[in-house]
Amino acid sequence: LMVVGSVIGHRARDKANRVAQTLLARWRKMLEAGGHPEFSESRVELLGGDFEVTLRLGVKHPNQKALAPLVRESATASVSMAQGGLIGPGTLSPVISGYCFLMPKSVVTPVVD
């Protein structure tokens, strides 16, 4: 589940972090109430300064169905949390990861097509 939003105003960074932590706490309670295990991973990213911040909040869970009710819950942050916040409903998508590594040149055969 990935949630993205903006928070503006004085101490926007603090507000955005508080929104993220509050959403995580609410989501954990919802998972527990549904009999689901904890998230396997969570990540909060705050991009910006003191007056305007973009918030990215992501969580991983082994059961995608456990995340479905949380999609709508994320949008409540816009109306019931920090003033100046606009947090959209989350999106469910598979997690794609890229990994960098080094290989000896002798192992790779270059091809021009």
Side-chain angles (χ1 to χ4, degrees):
L1 173 66
M2 176 64 69
V3 173
V4 179
S6 296
V7 178
I8 58 172
H10 294 287
R11 300 182 63 195
R13 191 171 191 78
D14 293 338
K15 288 181 195 177
N17 188 46
R18 180 67 179 150
V19 167
Q21 298 307 322
T22 302
L23 280 173
L24 282 172
R26 288 172 78 163
W27 292 350
R28 285 184 176 111
K29 285 181 184 177
M30 290 175 72
L31 285 178
E32 185 180 331
H36 300 289
E38 174 67 45
F39 299 118
S40 56
E41 190 177 324
S42 65
R43 181 179 184 135
V44 175
E45 297 175 353
L46 303 175
L47 309 169
D50 285 337
F51 292 101
E52 184 176 356
V53 173
T54 298
L55 161 68
R56 282 181 38 140
L57 171 59
V59 293
K60 279 186 186 180
H61 196 278
N63 182 355
Q64 188 173 4
K65 289 181 181 180
L67 296 175
L70 309 182
V71 172
R72 289 184 309 272
E73 184 67 21
S74 60
T76 63
S78 292
V79 294
S80 64
M81 294 187 193
Q83 292 179 350
L86 181 59
I87 312 297
T91 56
L92 292 176
S93 60
V95 176
I96 300 171
S97 300
Y99 297 95
C100 297
F101 57 91
L102 297 173
M103 290 179 69
K105 264 182 161 178
S106 60
V107 176
V108 181
T109 305
V111 175
V112 177
D113 190 15

XYZ file of all heavy atoms in Angstrom:
843
model
N 0.857 -1.175 0.000
C 0.000 0.000 0.000
C 0.893 1.224 0.000
O 1.816 1.307 0.804
C -0.911 -0.014 1.228
C -1.778 1.215 1.498
C -2.812 1.392 0.402
C -2.457 1.073 2.832
N 0.628 2.155 -0.907
C 1.405 3.392 -0.988
C 0.450 4.570 -0.901
O -0.547 4.619 -1.621
C 2.183 3.439 -2.300
C 2.954 4.722 -2.518
S 4.269 5.015 -1.322
C 5.425 3.746 -1.761
N 0.752 5.500 -0.006
C -0.035 6.713 0.177
C 0.871 7.905 -0.074
O 1.997 7.948 0.423
C -0.606 6.785 1.615
C -1.274 8.116 1.864
C -1.565 5.647 1.863
N 0.385 8.875 -0.845
C 1.150 10.079 -1.146
C 0.266 11.282 -0.854
O -0.921 11.271 -1.146
C 1.597 10.107 -2.625
C 2.366 11.380 -2.929
C 2.429 8.885 -2.957
N 0.872 12.318 -0.277
C 0.113 13.529 0.003
C 1.031 14.698 0.257
O 2.257 14.565 0.262
N 0.427 15.861 0.456
C 1.181 17.085 0.729
C 0.681 17.704 2.022
O -0.515 17.654 2.320
C 0.986 18.100 -0.399
O 1.505 17.598 -1.592
N 1.590 18.319 2.744
C 1.247 19.068 3.945
C 1.938 20.417 3.824
O 3.135 20.479 3.541
C 1.701 18.334 5.231
C 1.382 19.162 6.462
C 1.039 16.966 5.327
N 1.167 21.494 4.022
C 1.741 22.830 3.928
C 1.473 23.595 5.215
O 0.606 23.219 5.999
C 1.168 23.611 2.720
C -0.350 23.728 2.824
C 1.561 22.961 1.414
C -0.961 24.641 1.785
N 2.228 24.665 5.426
C 2.051 25.507 6.605
C 3.260 25.438 7.511
O 4.258 24.773 7.213
N 3.178 26.162 8.625
C 4.274 26.173 9.595
C 4.492 24.774 10.153
O 3.547 24.060 10.437
C 3.974 27.143 10.745
C 3.916 28.562 10.307
N 5.044 29.271 9.958
C 2.874 29.403 10.128
C 4.706 30.485 9.600
N 3.377 30.595 9.684
N 5.755 24.407 10.277
C 6.148 23.091 10.811
C 5.508 21.946 10.024
O 5.086 20.942 10.592
C 5.813 23.008 12.296
C 6.523 24.072 13.120
C 6.256 23.979 14.574
N 6.765 22.711 15.076
C 6.419 22.216 16.250
N 5.598 22.859 17.027
N 6.918 21.069 16.647
N 5.454 22.125 8.713
C 4.826 21.113 7.844
C 5.506 19.759 7.983
O 4.852 18.724 7.937
C 4.859 21.582 6.392
N 6.818 19.761 8.148
C 7.552 18.498 8.276
C 7.094 17.736 9.519
O 6.856 16.530 9.471
C 9.051 18.779 8.313
C 9.897 17.550 8.193
C 11.375 17.944 8.000
N 12.146 16.804 7.628
C 12.194 16.269 6.413
N 11.504 16.810 5.445
N 12.905 15.206 6.159
N 6.959 18.433 10.633
C 6.490 17.789 11.862
C 5.061 17.279 11.702
O 4.729 16.184 12.157
C 6.556 18.770 13.039
C 7.976 19.140 13.422
O 8.907 18.369 13.095
O 8.164 20.200 14.040
N 4.208 18.093 11.055
C 2.820 17.682 10.837
C 2.746 16.433 9.961
O 1.994 15.501 10.245
C 2.036 18.800 10.154
C 1.735 19.994 11.009
C 0.923 20.987 10.177
C 0.862 22.350 10.796
N 0.125 23.291 9.923
N 3.520 16.423 8.884
C 3.501 15.285 7.961
C 3.970 14.013 8.660
O 3.389 12.938 8.474
C 4.367 15.575 6.746
N 5.002 14.128 9.478
C 5.495 12.960 10.212
C 4.435 12.465 11.200
O 4.224 11.258 11.337
C 6.797 13.296 10.944
C 7.425 12.059 11.540
O 7.523 11.031 10.891
N 7.829 12.155 12.796
N 3.752 13.394 11.848
C 2.705 13.016 12.803
C 1.542 12.320 12.077
O 0.991 11.343 12.566
C 2.216 14.260 13.548
C 1.145 14.000 14.551
C 1.665 13.185 15.703
N 0.577 12.994 16.638
C 0.454 11.957 17.417
N 1.375 11.020 17.419
N -0.548 11.846 18.225
N 1.179 12.836 10.906
C 0.118 12.199 10.104
C 0.524 10.766 9.755
O -0.260 9.823 9.894
C -0.178 13.012 8.822
C -1.017 12.207 7.837
C -0.876 14.317 9.168
N 1.762 10.588 9.306
C 2.247 9.257 8.928
C 2.215 8.303 10.117
O 1.745 7.166 9.996
C 3.657 9.352 8.359
N 2.708 8.754 11.261
C 2.737 7.894 12.448
C 1.326 7.559 12.927
O 1.060 6.446 13.371
C 3.556 8.550 13.567
C 5.015 8.778 13.212
C 5.719 7.531 12.714
O 5.504 6.419 13.196
N 6.573 7.702 11.709
N 0.415 8.532 12.826
C -0.973 8.297 13.228
C -1.644 7.293 12.296
O -2.352 6.390 12.750
C -1.763 9.624 13.243
O -1.115 10.521 14.150
C -3.198 9.414 13.678
N -1.423 7.445 10.985
C -1.987 6.475 10.038
C -1.446 5.075 10.306
O -2.215 4.104 10.315
C -1.682 6.888 8.601
C -2.579 7.968 8.001
C -2.068 8.396 6.639
C -4.019 7.482 7.894
N -0.144 4.970 10.528
C 0.431 3.650 10.820
C -0.204 3.033 12.064
O -0.524 1.843 12.084
C 1.950 3.755 10.995
C 2.760 3.867 9.718
C 4.226 4.174 10.035
C 2.652 2.603 8.891
N -0.389 3.832 13.113
C -0.997 3.326 14.350
C -2.441 2.871 14.103
O -2.851 1.800 14.569
C -0.952 4.404 15.432
N -3.206 3.677 13.353
C -4.590 3.305 13.047
C -4.641 2.040 12.206
O -5.479 1.158 12.429
C -5.292 4.445 12.321
C -5.584 5.622 13.229
C -6.097 6.801 12.482
N -7.497 6.636 12.133
C -8.285 7.640 11.754
N -7.811 8.857 11.681
N -9.527 7.427 11.443
N -3.764 1.947 11.213
C -3.735 0.770 10.347
C -3.375 -0.486 11.136
O -3.939 -1.551 10.903
C -2.748 0.971 9.211
C -3.143 2.004 8.206
C -4.349 2.637 8.096
C -2.332 2.523 7.167
N -4.321 3.517 7.048
C -3.102 3.476 6.463
C -1.025 2.292 6.770
C -2.600 4.174 5.373
C -0.533 2.995 5.682
C -1.314 3.926 4.983
N -2.418 -0.343 12.058
C -2.033 -1.516 12.876
C -3.212 -2.006 13.711
O -3.419 -3.209 13.851
C -0.842 -1.168 13.753
C 0.450 -1.106 12.985
C 1.644 -0.843 13.884
N 2.866 -0.881 13.105
C 3.635 0.193 12.847
N 3.314 1.371 13.343
N 4.708 0.071 12.116
N -3.976 -1.067 14.263
C -5.162 -1.459 15.038
C -6.185 -2.163 14.158
O -6.815 -3.129 14.576
C -5.799 -0.232 15.693
C -5.034 0.290 16.880
C -5.732 1.483 17.494
C -4.898 2.064 18.618
N -5.527 3.270 19.185
N -6.351 -1.672 12.927
C -7.296 -2.307 12.001
C -6.842 -3.712 11.622
O -7.664 -4.632 11.537
C -7.455 -1.445 10.751
C -8.196 -0.141 10.997
S -8.255 0.927 9.549
C -9.411 0.034 8.504
N -5.532 -3.884 11.404
C -5.012 -5.223 11.096
C -5.261 -6.170 12.262
O -5.704 -7.307 12.076
C -3.511 -5.164 10.798
C -3.077 -4.610 9.449
C -1.560 -4.583 9.364
C -3.658 -5.417 8.305
N -4.962 -5.687 13.455
C -5.132 -6.518 14.657
C -6.604 -6.895 14.840
O -6.924 -8.048 15.137
C -4.628 -5.755 15.883
C -4.651 -6.569 17.153
C -4.135 -5.788 18.342
O -3.284 -4.892 18.156
O -4.577 -6.085 19.470
N -7.499 -5.926 14.635
C -8.933 -6.196 14.781
C -9.410 -7.219 13.748
O -10.331 -7.993 14.015
C -9.728 -4.902 14.640
N -8.777 -7.232 12.587
C -9.141 -8.194 11.546
C -8.442 -9.529 11.686
O -8.623 -10.421 10.862
N -7.610 -9.668 12.729
C -6.907 -10.930 12.957
C -5.716 -11.151 12.039
O -5.289 -12.279 11.839
N -5.183 -10.076 11.475
C -4.039 -10.173 10.559
C -2.739 -9.859 11.295
O -2.736 -9.089 12.253
C -4.200 -9.190 9.387
C -5.429 -9.431 8.578
N -5.572 -10.518 7.743
C -6.585 -8.735 8.471
C -6.753 -10.471 7.170
N -7.387 -9.399 7.595
N -1.629 -10.410 10.831
C -0.334 -10.105 11.441
C 0.129 -8.681 11.098
O -0.453 -8.013 10.235
C 0.620 -11.137 10.826
C -0.025 -11.528 9.541
C -1.504 -11.388 9.753
N 1.171 -8.250 11.761
C 1.787 -6.932 11.575
C 2.322 -6.785 10.146
O 2.555 -7.763 9.450
C 2.935 -6.803 12.594
C 3.806 -5.585 12.491
C 3.096 -4.296 12.820
O 2.368 -4.241 13.821
O 3.256 -3.338 12.048
N 2.542 -5.539 9.720
C 3.175 -5.285 8.424
C 4.544 -5.947 8.390
O 5.257 -5.967 9.388
C 3.378 -3.780 8.189
C 2.105 -2.994 8.170
C 1.867 -2.011 9.102
C 1.142 -3.233 7.205
C 0.709 -1.269 9.087
C -0.036 -2.500 7.182
C -0.251 -1.517 8.126
N 4.925 -6.440 7.236
C 6.271 -7.001 7.121
C 7.301 -5.888 6.957
O 8.480 -6.077 7.250
C 6.346 -7.988 5.947
O 5.946 -7.366 4.752
N 6.842 -4.716 6.495
C 7.755 -3.583 6.326
C 6.928 -2.307 6.233
O 5.821 -2.303 5.713
C 8.556 -3.775 5.043
C 9.698 -2.823 4.856
C 10.495 -3.136 3.594
O 10.652 -4.329 3.261
O 10.934 -2.183 2.946
N 7.465 -1.203 6.757
C 6.827 0.103 6.598
C 7.905 1.149 6.372
O 9.038 0.989 6.823
C 5.980 0.467 7.818
O 6.783 0.624 8.955
N 7.525 2.209 5.641
C 8.506 3.242 5.322
C 7.800 4.593 5.215
O 6.766 4.710 4.549
C 9.183 2.900 4.002
C 10.236 3.881 3.591
C 10.866 3.445 2.291
N 11.932 4.345 1.945
C 13.110 3.968 1.523
N 13.378 2.696 1.379
N 14.026 4.843 1.217
N 8.387 5.605 5.860
C 7.884 6.971 5.792
C 8.965 7.824 5.140
O 10.108 7.816 5.573
C 7.573 7.529 7.202
C 7.160 8.991 7.118
C 6.504 6.689 7.887
N 8.581 8.545 4.081
C 9.509 9.449 3.403
C 8.911 10.846 3.426
O 7.751 11.036 3.035
C 9.746 9.023 1.958
C 10.404 7.675 1.827
C 10.516 7.222 0.372
O 9.957 7.896 -0.517
O 11.152 6.198 0.148
N 9.684 11.822 3.875
C 9.257 13.214 3.903
C 10.197 14.001 3.012
O 11.406 14.033 3.251
C 9.303 13.771 5.332
C 8.477 13.011 6.369
C 8.703 13.592 7.747
C 7.010 13.038 6.011
N 9.660 14.624 1.973
C 10.460 15.383 1.028
C 10.042 16.840 1.103
O 8.887 17.176 0.849
C 10.252 14.861 -0.395
C 10.410 13.358 -0.580
C 9.921 12.936 -1.941
C 11.852 12.962 -0.383
N 10.969 17.715 1.474
C 10.659 19.129 1.542
C 11.174 19.747 2.822
O 11.910 19.131 3.589
N 10.752 20.986 3.058
C 11.263 21.747 4.196
C 10.204 22.009 5.245
O 9.289 21.223 5.440
N 10.328 23.182 5.886
C 9.444 23.499 7.005
C 8.054 23.959 6.585
O 7.125 23.909 7.374
C 10.076 24.586 7.880
C 11.204 24.025 8.735
O 11.201 22.811 8.978
O 12.071 24.806 9.153
N 7.883 24.454 5.351
C 6.592 25.011 4.972
C 5.822 24.188 3.954
O 4.636 24.402 3.766
C 6.777 26.438 4.431
C 7.219 27.389 5.506
C 8.548 27.755 5.606
C 6.334 27.875 6.438
C 8.973 28.601 6.606
C 6.738 28.720 7.444
C 8.074 29.095 7.532
N 6.473 23.276 3.273
C 5.775 22.409 2.313
C 6.497 21.075 2.234
O 7.690 21.023 1.965
C 5.722 23.051 0.932
C 4.924 22.235 -0.057
C 4.784 22.926 -1.404
O 5.228 24.066 -1.561
O 4.224 22.273 -2.305
N 5.754 20.005 2.474
C 6.344 18.668 2.516
C 5.473 17.700 1.720
O 4.247 17.752 1.796
C 6.471 18.170 3.977
C 6.916 16.727 4.036
C 7.425 19.040 4.759
N 6.112 16.854 0.954
C 5.430 15.741 0.309
C 5.676 14.501 1.158
O 6.806 14.206 1.529
C 5.951 15.518 -1.121
O 5.668 16.688 -1.884
C 5.291 14.318 -1.769
N 4.608 13.818 1.463
C 4.651 12.636 2.320
C 4.417 11.401 1.468
O 3.487 11.367 0.661
C 3.553 12.748 3.386
C 3.117 11.481 4.111
C 4.240 10.964 4.995
C 1.870 11.738 4.924
N 5.292 10.416 1.624
C 5.088 9.085 1.014
C 5.134 8.069 2.141
O 6.105 8.003 2.885
C 6.191 8.769 0.006
C 6.021 9.456 -1.308
C 7.121 9.095 -2.279
N 7.514 7.697 -2.167
C 7.802 6.922 -3.185
N 7.762 7.389 -4.403
N 8.163 5.677 -3.014
N 4.077 7.304 2.247
C 3.971 6.293 3.291
C 3.682 4.963 2.613
O 2.696 4.838 1.875
C 2.851 6.660 4.268
C 2.435 5.641 5.308
C 3.612 5.263 6.204
C 1.291 6.176 6.140
N 4.539 3.994 2.827
C 4.357 2.687 2.211
C 4.430 1.576 3.235
O 5.183 1.668 4.214
N 3.621 0.551 3.029
C 3.651 -0.628 3.900
C 3.581 -1.884 3.040
O 3.000 -1.883 1.953
C 2.490 -0.635 4.927
C 2.646 0.479 5.938
C 1.142 -0.558 4.257
N 4.192 -2.949 3.538
C 4.123 -4.268 2.894
C 3.406 -5.220 3.845
O 3.573 -5.139 5.058
C 5.526 -4.836 2.680
C 6.260 -4.343 1.493
C 7.559 -5.153 1.388
C 8.482 -4.682 0.331
N 9.707 -5.490 0.278
N 2.641 -6.123 3.253
C 1.951 -7.144 4.042
C 1.845 -8.397 3.185
O 1.597 -8.298 1.980
C 0.564 -6.650 4.448
C -0.048 -7.439 5.551
N -0.703 -8.633 5.334
C -0.085 -7.227 6.879
C -1.126 -9.098 6.492
N -0.769 -8.263 7.450
N 2.026 -9.571 3.771
C 1.960 -10.800 2.967
C 0.573 -11.076 2.379
O 0.449 -11.766 1.387
C 2.372 -11.906 3.948
C 2.306 -11.314 5.301
C 2.404 -9.834 5.158
N -0.474 -10.516 2.974
C -1.835 -10.750 2.501
C -2.412 -9.439 1.957
O -2.746 -8.531 2.713
C -2.703 -11.269 3.648
C -4.113 -11.588 3.221
O -4.506 -11.351 2.087
N -4.887 -12.114 4.153
N -2.557 -9.344 0.639
C -3.045 -8.112 0.025
C -4.469 -7.780 0.464
O -4.837 -6.618 0.582
C -2.983 -8.215 -1.495
C -3.281 -6.903 -2.181
C -3.061 -6.951 -3.685
O -2.744 -7.996 -4.241
N -3.225 -5.834 -4.333
N -5.275 -8.787 0.759
C -6.645 -8.546 1.201
C -6.690 -7.822 2.548
O -7.642 -7.102 2.836
C -7.413 -9.869 1.287
C -7.712 -10.464 -0.067
C -8.495 -11.743 0.052
C -8.748 -12.319 -1.335
N -9.496 -13.562 -1.294
N -5.670 -7.996 3.355
C -5.615 -7.309 4.645
C -5.421 -5.806 4.462
O -5.800 -5.017 5.322
C -4.482 -7.884 5.494
N -4.829 -5.404 3.328
C -4.561 -3.990 3.078
C -5.746 -3.249 2.465
O -5.820 -2.023 2.538
C -3.345 -3.839 2.156
C -2.020 -4.337 2.717
C -0.935 -4.226 1.652
C -1.633 -3.578 3.963
N -6.674 -3.960 1.851
C -7.785 -3.321 1.130
C -8.567 -2.314 1.985
O -8.837 -1.207 1.519
C -8.701 -4.382 0.543
N -8.943 -2.623 3.230
C -9.689 -1.634 4.023
C -8.875 -0.383 4.361
O -9.437 0.663 4.652
C -10.053 -2.387 5.303
C -9.862 -3.816 5.008
C -8.838 -3.900 3.931
N -7.555 -0.482 4.300
C -6.709 0.650 4.665
C -6.654 1.711 3.569
O -6.298 2.862 3.834
C -5.285 0.164 4.968
C -5.163 -0.999 5.955
C -3.707 -1.326 6.186
C -5.859 -0.697 7.256
N -7.001 1.343 2.348
C -6.958 2.283 1.219
C -7.849 3.491 1.510
O -7.422 4.636 1.399
C -7.378 1.584 -0.092
C -7.530 2.592 -1.209
C -6.368 0.519 -0.463
N -9.086 3.239 1.887
C -10.010 4.332 2.185
C -9.614 5.078 3.452
O -9.809 6.280 3.568
C -11.431 3.796 2.322
C -12.038 3.342 1.020
C -13.488 2.923 1.208
N -13.675 1.977 2.308
C -13.584 0.657 2.198
N -13.302 0.123 1.040
N -13.768 -0.115 3.240
N -9.108 4.359 4.411
C -8.740 4.958 5.696
C -7.691 6.052 5.532
O -7.674 7.023 6.277
C -8.230 3.866 6.640
C -7.896 4.334 8.023
C -9.098 4.792 8.833
O -10.237 4.409 8.506
O -8.899 5.547 9.805
N -6.805 5.929 4.557
C -5.738 6.917 4.374
C -6.293 8.286 3.990
O -5.746 9.318 4.356
C -4.729 6.447 3.338
O -5.348 6.240 2.094
N -7.397 8.324 3.258
C -7.982 9.597 2.828
C -8.577 10.380 3.997
O -8.741 11.591 3.903
C -9.041 9.358 1.765
N -8.885 9.722 5.114
C -9.432 10.437 6.273
C -8.437 11.428 6.850
O -8.820 12.362 7.535
C -9.870 9.467 7.379
O -8.725 8.754 7.866
C -10.905 8.483 6.886
N -7.149 11.249 6.546
C -6.138 12.167 7.062
C -6.355 13.585 6.553
O -6.023 14.554 7.232
C -4.739 11.680 6.675
N -6.931 13.736 5.375
C -7.170 15.067 4.806
C -8.218 15.855 5.577
O -8.160 17.073 5.644
C -7.613 14.965 3.350
O -6.561 14.489 2.556
N -9.191 15.158 6.149
C -10.279 15.858 6.832
C -10.198 15.808 8.349
O -10.784 16.648 9.018
C -11.663 15.328 6.372
C -11.900 15.653 4.930
C -11.787 13.842 6.624
N -9.456 14.848 8.895
C -9.485 14.710 10.350
C -8.118 14.808 11.021
O -8.014 14.565 12.216
C -10.136 13.373 10.727
O -9.355 12.296 10.254
N -7.097 15.176 10.263
C -5.769 15.293 10.874
C -5.218 16.695 10.656
O -5.967 17.651 10.730
C -4.841 14.200 10.352
C -5.265 12.811 10.772
S -4.078 11.557 10.325
C -5.034 10.095 10.597
N -3.950 16.826 10.384
C -3.280 18.130 10.317
C -3.929 19.092 9.334
O -4.255 18.716 8.213
C -1.807 17.942 9.941
N -4.097 20.351 9.770
C -4.584 21.384 8.855
C -3.541 21.610 7.778
O -2.349 21.595 8.029
C -4.830 22.684 9.610
C -5.973 22.595 10.579
C -6.177 23.901 11.318
O -5.362 24.800 11.244
N -7.279 23.994 12.030
N -4.005 21.847 6.559
C -3.077 22.066 5.458
C -2.593 20.783 4.816
O -1.680 20.790 4.017
N -3.226 19.672 5.171
C -2.818 18.386 4.615
C -3.777 17.903 3.552
O -4.984 18.069 3.682
N -3.252 17.349 2.495
C -4.069 16.736 1.451
C -3.472 15.366 1.162
O -2.467 15.241 0.479
C -4.076 17.593 0.180
C -4.913 17.051 -0.970
C -6.368 16.879 -0.547
C -4.822 17.975 -2.160
N -4.074 14.345 1.753
C -3.588 12.973 1.631
C -4.622 12.193 0.833
O -5.785 12.126 1.217
C -3.406 12.307 3.019
C -2.643 13.212 3.971
C -2.761 10.944 2.872
C -1.232 13.529 3.575
N -4.203 11.634 -0.276
C -5.127 10.896 -1.128
C -5.324 9.474 -0.655
O -4.588 8.984 0.206
N -6.326 8.801 -1.226
C -6.498 7.383 -0.894
C -5.293 6.597 -1.398
O -4.689 6.954 -2.405
C -7.779 6.982 -1.625
C -8.010 8.037 -2.644
C -7.316 9.274 -2.178
N -4.930 5.578 -0.699
C -3.769 4.786 -1.067
C -4.017 3.922 -2.284
O -5.141 3.777 -2.750
N -2.944 3.360 -2.807
C -3.049 2.445 -3.934
C -2.355 1.137 -3.577
O -1.292 1.138 -2.938
C -2.397 3.021 -5.200
O -1.041 3.352 -4.920
C -3.121 4.254 -5.680
N -2.954 0.057 -3.976
C -2.355 -1.263 -3.778
C -1.641 -1.656 -5.059
O -2.219 -1.593 -6.140
C -3.431 -2.304 -3.468
C -4.133 -2.168 -2.131
C -5.244 -3.207 -2.015
C -3.169 -2.321 -0.990
N -0.388 -2.023 -4.925
C 0.370 -2.467 -6.095
C 1.465 -3.412 -5.638
O 1.912 -3.349 -4.494
C 0.965 -1.269 -6.838
O 1.837 -0.561 -5.990
N 1.915 -4.273 -6.535
C 3.017 -5.168 -6.170
C 4.290 -4.353 -5.934
O 4.476 -3.288 -6.521
C 3.179 -6.085 -7.372
C 2.280 -5.579 -8.429
C 1.425 -4.496 -7.868
N 5.137 -4.855 -5.071
C 6.398 -4.189 -4.777
C 7.447 -4.646 -5.773
O 7.655 -5.838 -5.972
C 6.864 -4.500 -3.335
C 8.215 -3.888 -3.060
C 5.838 -3.996 -2.345
N 8.059 -3.676 -6.427
C 9.119 -3.967 -7.383
C 10.401 -3.362 -6.848
O 10.429 -2.184 -6.483
C 8.796 -3.376 -8.772
C 7.497 -3.980 -9.283
C 9.935 -3.611 -9.735
C 6.970 -3.331 -10.538
N 11.442 -4.136 -6.773
C 12.715 -3.652 -6.235
C 13.810 -3.809 -7.273
O 13.849 -4.791 -8.011
C 13.104 -4.443 -4.985
O 12.115 -4.308 -3.996
N 14.678 -2.834 -7.315
C 15.846 -2.909 -8.185
C 17.098 -3.100 -7.347
O 17.196 -2.552 -6.249
N 17.999 -3.874 -7.820
C 19.238 -4.133 -7.091
C 20.423 -3.866 -8.003
O 20.429 -4.257 -9.166
C 19.291 -5.587 -6.602
C 18.192 -5.911 -5.623
C 17.011 -6.498 -6.058
C 18.328 -5.613 -4.285
C 15.988 -6.778 -5.173
C 17.303 -5.901 -3.384
C 16.144 -6.483 -3.831
O 15.135 -6.759 -2.957
N 21.418 -3.207 -7.490
C 22.647 -2.937 -8.238
C 23.727 -3.917 -7.801
O 23.800 -4.275 -6.629
C 23.125 -1.507 -7.976
S 21.963 -0.273 -8.547
N 24.527 -4.320 -8.737
C 25.634 -5.221 -8.421
C 26.708 -5.077 -9.484
O 26.455 -4.552 -10.570
C 25.151 -6.679 -8.323
C 24.477 -7.172 -9.574
C 25.215 -7.806 -10.567
C 23.112 -6.999 -9.757
C 24.599 -8.263 -11.716
C 22.494 -7.458 -10.915
C 23.235 -8.084 -11.895
N 27.883 -5.521 -9.177
C 29.006 -5.483 -10.115
C 29.290 -6.886 -10.630
O 29.230 -7.854 -9.885
C 30.252 -4.918 -9.435
C 30.150 -3.473 -8.959
C 31.394 -3.109 -8.153
C 29.999 -2.547 -10.147
N 29.602 -6.957 -11.939
C 30.004 -8.222 -12.551
C 31.275 -7.968 -13.339
O 31.438 -6.893 -13.927
C 28.932 -8.730 -13.521
C 27.673 -9.212 -12.864
S 26.449 -9.781 -14.087
C 27.239 -11.248 -14.708
N 32.147 -8.936 -13.397
C 33.334 -8.763 -14.240
C 32.921 -8.636 -15.709
O 31.999 -9.309 -16.172
C 34.134 -10.038 -14.007
C 33.550 -10.667 -12.778
C 32.161 -10.196 -12.648
N 33.584 -7.773 -16.422
C 33.288 -7.587 -17.856
C 33.398 -8.892 -18.651
O 32.667 -9.110 -19.603
C 34.290 -6.593 -18.463
C 33.835 -5.199 -18.539
C 34.940 -4.406 -19.194
C 34.479 -3.112 -19.728
N 35.555 -2.316 -20.313
N 34.283 -9.740 -18.227
C 34.517 -10.992 -18.959
C 33.305 -11.934 -18.906
O 33.174 -12.830 -19.721
C 35.733 -11.706 -18.395
O 35.556 -12.004 -17.037
N 32.392 -11.730 -17.976
C 31.226 -12.587 -17.813
C 30.101 -12.165 -18.766
O 29.254 -12.964 -19.125
C 30.732 -12.551 -16.361
C 29.466 -13.362 -16.176
C 31.812 -13.048 -15.417
N 30.110 -10.916 -19.212
C 29.032 -10.369 -20.035
C 29.443 -10.341 -21.507
O 30.520 -9.857 -21.848
C 28.676 -8.936 -19.563
C 27.559 -8.367 -20.395
C 28.305 -8.941 -18.093
N 28.557 -10.837 -22.356
C 28.798 -10.783 -23.790
C 27.991 -9.627 -24.368
O 26.753 -9.668 -24.366
C 28.354 -12.096 -24.455
O 29.023 -13.190 -23.816
C 28.663 -12.095 -25.934
N 28.649 -8.592 -24.885
C 27.902 -7.468 -25.460
C 27.263 -7.871 -26.793
O 27.848 -8.604 -27.582
C 28.971 -6.391 -25.672
C 30.272 -7.093 -25.595
C 30.077 -8.373 -24.879
N 26.044 -7.411 -27.027
C 25.300 -7.726 -28.238
C 24.648 -6.439 -28.731
O 24.052 -5.690 -27.948
C 24.202 -8.775 -27.958
C 23.353 -9.012 -29.197
C 24.799 -10.064 -27.448
N 24.766 -6.187 -30.044
C 24.090 -5.053 -30.671
C 23.022 -5.631 -31.579
O 23.308 -6.463 -32.445
C 25.088 -4.190 -31.471
C 24.344 -3.059 -32.177
C 26.185 -3.671 -30.588
N 21.810 -5.197 -31.397
C 20.697 -5.746 -32.173
C 20.188 -4.720 -33.143
O 20.021 -3.599 -32.915
C 19.581 -6.179 -31.207
C 18.513 -6.976 -31.910
O 18.727 -7.450 -33.032
O 17.435 -7.106 -31.291
